[in-house]
Amino acid sequence: MIDPHTAGPVPDVLPDPWAVLRGTKWPTLETAYGAGVKLPQVLARLLETDLAVSDAREALGGLEPVRHQNSIYGATPATALFVAALLVRRALCRPGAADGVSALLLGWLADLALDFDDACVAAGDRHFDGRYLDGYPAMVAVRALRPVLHQAVAPFLDDPDAAVRDTALAAALALAEHPALAPYRDDLAARARRLLLTNDVRWRRRQALDALTAWGHDTTDLTRPGDEDRSPCTTGSPAPDWFLDSPPF
């Protein structure tokens, strides 16, 4: 599985989630609260047949140690790979639309993707004279996974549920910062434009505008008053976990 101290090996396709669970040496991997000895039990719950949404939400809460305070830890890359692999398996078994459990898994992966995007690295570089990643091997490792994590997100970009589509787009825009995903950017840019025509949630608009700008698109006809406000969300809108513009400590 993933070596938390390097950027590889990175699989070309997502493995079976059981393979990730059984093939990872969890007790050797760091979390916010020490070694990841409890992670296999938490992840195994997500593999249960007929998993209820409430049980999935509780199990995902048990993964808080791998992204505590929006930080990346040694156990985070393998956990992300597991969640992505499980999401793909569920999508294959339940084609057509995400169920409640898949929507939760997708949301977890989207929040995590925004914890290691280029904006987070840029914020860290401002504090570490451009050498943020030099001292953060777990961040390097999880960022190397972006192409394979995208495989889990892409099937949900056309989900019938708008909330699921928006969540998938949030994840995909962050993941597509990886150079290997550049061929997907034109399609994602078109989706971002459509989102900006209909979506009023400030942090989603902020992310879409930032992605379009970074990829060289003119956003003049898409901006609204307030889009330059860098606060994380509008009143009454769900705030993402990742809005802090500072490196995680």
Side-chain angles (χ1 to χ4, degrees), residues 169 189-201 204-210 212 219 221-224 227:
L169 180 60
R191 295 175 186 275
R193 286 180 171 274
R194 289 196 292 272
L195 180 144
L196 289 165
L197 294 174
T198 60
N199 198 302
D200 297 323
V201 177
R204 289 202 186 279
R205 295 185 58 80
R206 167 183 170 177
Q207 187 202 18
L209 287 167
D210 286 352
L212 288 170
T219 61
D221 60 336
L222 299 170
T223 57
R224 299 177 183 175
D227 280 341

Side-chain angles (χ1 to χ4, degrees), residues 45-189:
R45 288 188 62 191
L46 291 170
L47 286 165
E48 293 176 2
T49 305
D50 298 325
L51 181 68
V53 170
S54 58
D55 292 333
R57 184 177 289 109
E58 183 179 352
L60 288 172
L63 298 182
E64 192 271 344
V66 306
R67 57 182 306 262
H68 177 67
Q69 296 184 342
N70 307 100
S71 298
I72 303 299
Y73 300 90
T76 307
T79 303
L81 191 63
F82 172 90
V83 172
L86 178 58
L87 190 57
V88 163
R89 192 179 78 170
R90 293 185 64 88
L92 291 173
C93 294
R94 300 165 178 80
D99 62 5
V101 173
S102 292
L104 286 175
L105 294 170
L106 178 64
W108 187 92
L109 200 58
D111 283 347
L112 180 66
L114 292 160
D115 288 341
F116 58 76
D117 67 1
D118 286 352
C120 290
V121 174
D125 279 342
R126 289 195 292 272
H127 289 261
F128 290 95
D129 298 323
R131 301 180 62 86
Y132 182 57
L133 293 178
D134 291 352
Y136 208 163
M139 178 72 85
V140 173
V142 77
R143 282 170 59 83
L145 286 175
R146 286 175 291 176
V148 73
L149 298 181
H150 180 265
Q151 296 174 20
V153 170
F156 298 96
L157 288 168
D158 294 311
D159 193 89
D161 189 308
V164 173
R165 292 197 303 272
D166 286 352
T167 300
L169 180 60
L173 289 173
L175 297 170
E177 293 171 341
H178 192 288
L181 295 175
Y184 296 93
R185 291 177 188 168
D186 285 346
D187 174 70
L188 293 174

